[in-house]
Amino acid sequence: MKILKYCPSCGKESLHWDGEKKWNCPNCNFTLYNNVAGAVAVVIRNNDEIYLTRRNRDPKKGKLDLAGGFVDPKESVEETCKRELFEELQLDVDISNLKYLTSLPNVYHYKEIDYNTIDLFYEYTVSKKFEVNLELTEISEAFWIPLKELNIDDIAFDSQKRFFEEYLNNI
């Protein structure tokens, strides 16, 4: 997190990272917090299969991922699920059918900055399998996979790996 050096308030090269969550400037007493960001991940499920995507960009390009993303300002997490599923998969979901499962902390490393996130996991059950037209800037492919064939080492993010370890034990 030492990438930030210059104070946005006084302009001096005096920002100090506390090693956990904030920068401060001893010259003007400015404080910049690196607060936790909210993110969603949605398990789209049909019977004993789930719909996964393959990341088409860093971080973790080529790894498997659940559809989802960061919560925008003034947006509920359910609205984020709906927006992200439509943006990534052109899938229009009824948010009343989203089932909240759990939350897990994560670190999202992007362009030399570690963003601490709280990942909220939801399940969305569909009555039949579907195929979608992909948003290829973020996703290189999407596919159905039987839960029993899921290899946790292929999953992109630590929070999703921890999530699936528990999820697979409870099915």
Side-chain angles (χ1 to χ4, degrees):
M1 296 302 275
K2 296 183 180 216
I3 191 170
L4 299 178
K5 298 177 182 178
Y6 295 91
C7 177
S9 182
C10 71
K12 297 193 176 175
E13 189 176 348
S14 57
L15 271 188
H16 175 265
W17 172 244
D18 74 355
E20 184 181 353
K21 64 180 179 179
K22 67 182 176 183
W23 293 267
N24 58 28
C25 175
N27 292 315
C28 69
N29 292 320
F30 175 81
T31 301
L32 175 64
Y33 289 93
N34 184 20
N35 291 326
V36 173
V40 300
V42 182
V43 178
I44 301 169
R45 187 166 174 176
N46 174 261
N47 297 318
D48 288 332
E49 292 185 76
I50 58 171
Y51 202 62
L52 290 175
T53 65
R54 187 172 306 280
R55 295 185 60 80
N56 200 25
R57 65 168 115 165
D58 282 324
K60 309 287 184 178
K61 183 176 180 177
K63 290 288 198 171
L64 298 181
D65 197 4
L66 290 168
F70 288 102
V71 179
D72 283 346
K74 300 180 182 179
E75 184 177 61
S76 73
V77 292
E78 293 81 10
E79 290 167 335
T80 301
C81 291
K82 183 174 180 69
R83 176 182 52 77
E84 287 288 346
L85 290 175
F86 188 78
E87 286 176 4
E88 292 179 8
L89 304 173
Q90 288 74 52
L91 184 62
D92 190 17
V93 301
D94 178 354
I95 62 175
S96 68
N97 292 330
L98 287 166
K99 177 183 173 188
Y100 173 75
L101 300 174
T102 193
S103 65
L104 291 166
N106 195 38
V107 177
Y108 187 84
H109 185 79
Y110 184 69
K111 295 188 177 181
E112 298 184 53
I113 296 180
D114 288 336
Y115 295 91
N116 291 294
T117 67
I118 186 67
D119 296 349
L120 299 122
F121 291 85
Y122 284 82
E123 184 177 63
Y124 191 77
T125 302
V126 294
S127 59
K128 62 181 181 173
K129 293 197 281 186
F130 57 85
E131 299 299 325
V132 297
N133 294 320
L134 294 177
E135 205 321 288
L136 292 175
T137 58
E138 293 185 23
I139 299 168
S140 63
E141 67 176 321
F143 53 90
W144 291 97
I145 184 171
L147 284 165
K148 64 183 178 183
E149 293 178 18
L150 180 62
N151 181 351
I152 291 179
D153 292 333
D154 293 336
I155 302 293
F157 300 107
D158 290 342
S159 63
Q160 290 186 23
K161 289 178 182 182
R162 289 191 316 269
F163 167 79
F164 275 117
E165 286 170 357
E166 184 68 24
Y167 189 78
L168 293 173
N169 283 333
N170 291 322
I171 58 169

